[in-house]
Amino acid sequence: MTDGTGLRLRMALRTSFTVGEERPALGGVRWFQARLAGTTGVPTHRVILWAVPPAGPSPARIRKWAETLQALDHRGLAEIAAAGEFEGRAWLAEQVPSGQTLEERLATRGVLSVRETINVLREVARVLTVLHRHGIAHGGLAAQTIRLGPQGEVTLANGRPEGSVASDLHALGRVGWAMLTGHTPDPAATTDPALGRHAVPPELSLLLRQLLGHESAGRPDRAEAVLSALDAFPIRHHSPLGVILEGAGRGARQVERHPGVLLAVLAAVGLFLVAFMRFGR
């Protein structure tokens, strides 16, 4: 904040928000940690600051966009607290949901299991479906803007009033790829052997390739179509043992790559049960 913008923003919003440290952001916007004025503790909100028009959207456009999102009142979108103008720039304050971002989860875990990936993609597709039905593109979908709550809930930070349905769907494919492989896809690549090594169901692999533009046949052109495809995937009911074996992150990948490990574990459990029944009489 060497340019003094953060200090001036803090003074301008001091009656509503206590604006704190500036954090890295995407796409030319700036955002600052914040909390409601008069409160203490960890930051509960963030204040997003756009560039001066025409490099950024006008304050009037952001206000109208924010009002539309507030009217949706969707549980999968971060709650917008306020929007306004600061030195000719548009700003918006939104609540930060509990949990960690998908980017943070991947930094810790490396990759997610197939089951977790499908669940996250499904919840994100639900939000995009609602937005697109109201003529709104998210415009900022990425691992940094997806937050995973402690009870498995998925919440999106509000994006930006630009973008398109096509760009949202492509971004969804990139997010799905990153969850399964730990890295974003190479735009020049048409195949990625990592997906095969991770025993990804062919239906999911095909959907991701379609979203990324690697497969033109049957490519979804609406978030609703993606959601229908994800809902059609077989739903596996996991036994407690299955949950333990599937695990998460790289551990799950090891089980998928080595079926012999699964057989060995099942054999050990069987021997334990036989011994328990024999000596427990």
Side-chain angles (χ1 to χ4, degrees):
M1 294 187 292
T2 57
D3 61 354
T5 300
L7 177 60
R8 297 195 303 274
L9 180 67
R10 182 180 297 112
M11 295 300 295
L13 302 184
R14 66 184 182 279
T15 59
S16 301
F17 299 95
T18 300
V19 179
E21 183 180 357
E22 182 172 4
R23 306 297 298 168
L26 298 173
V29 301
R30 301 174 66 172
W31 77 269
F32 303 80
Q33 293 181 328
R35 62 177 184 269
L36 295 175
T39 63
T40 59
V42 299
T44 55
H45 290 69
R46 69 173 186 166
V47 173
I48 306 165
L49 183 64
W50 278 267
V52 177
S58 69
R61 185 181 181 189
I62 289 297
R63 285 195 188 98
K64 183 177 180 180
W65 174 69
E67 289 172 357
T68 303
L69 293 176
Q70 286 174 320
L72 293 179
D73 193 26
H74 195 284
R75 63 179 179 81
L77 284 171
E79 180 181 347
I80 295 177
E85 179 178 352
F86 166 73
E87 297 183 351
R89 306 178 182 191
W91 66 267
L92 179 142
E94 68 177 13
Q95 189 172 19
V96 177
S98 59
Q100 60 182 170
T101 65
L102 176 58
E103 181 182 48
E104 293 167 339
R105 180 72 59 86
L106 290 174
T108 303
R109 296 260 299 276
V111 295
L112 302 188
S113 70
V114 170
R115 178 171 55 89
E116 291 174 302
T117 298
I118 292 175
N119 288 340
V120 173
L121 288 176
R122 184 182 289 119
E123 293 306 310
V124 174
R126 290 191 201 284
V127 178
L128 293 181
T129 295
V130 173
L131 291 176
H132 295 170
R133 285 176 178 170
H134 288 80
I136 306 171
H138 185 273
L141 185 63
Q144 299 94 320
T145 58
I146 299 173
R147 190 167 287 269
L148 309 179
Q151 304 301 321
E153 61 272 27
V154 178
T155 309
L156 302 187
N158 294 284
R160 57 198 67 191
E162 60 249 14
S164 64
V165 171
S167 64
D168 279 353
L169 296 184
H170 186 270
L172 184 62
R174 290 176 61 84
V175 167
W177 200 279
M179 285 190 283
L180 292 170
T181 66
H183 59 82
T184 55
D186 180 356
T190 57
T191 60
D192 189 328
L195 283 181
R197 290 201 304 272
H198 290 349
V200 175
E203 301 92 342
L204 179 57
S205 177
L206 176 60
L207 177 61
L208 293 180
R209 295 181 194 282
Q210 289 173 334
L211 292 173
L212 293 170
H214 296 167
E215 299 281 350
S216 58
R219 182 185 304 169
D221 58 357
R222 297 173 297 120
E224 190 172 4
V226 177
L227 181 58
S228 296
L230 291 168
D231 283 341
F233 286 172
I235 300 176
R236 293 178 296 172
H237 298 281
H238 296 271
S239 64
L241 177 61
V243 172
I244 293 173
L245 291 176
E246 180 177 1
R250 299 194 184 279
R253 302 282 75 79
Q254 293 295 330
V255 171
E256 291 171 353
R257 285 201 296 268
H258 301 288
V261 175
L262 174 60
L263 294 176
V265 173
L266 290 175
V269 171
L271 291 174
F272 172 80
L273 292 176
V274 170
F276 177 81
M277 294 176 63
R278 176 179 298 176
F279 295 105
R281 295 176 179 176

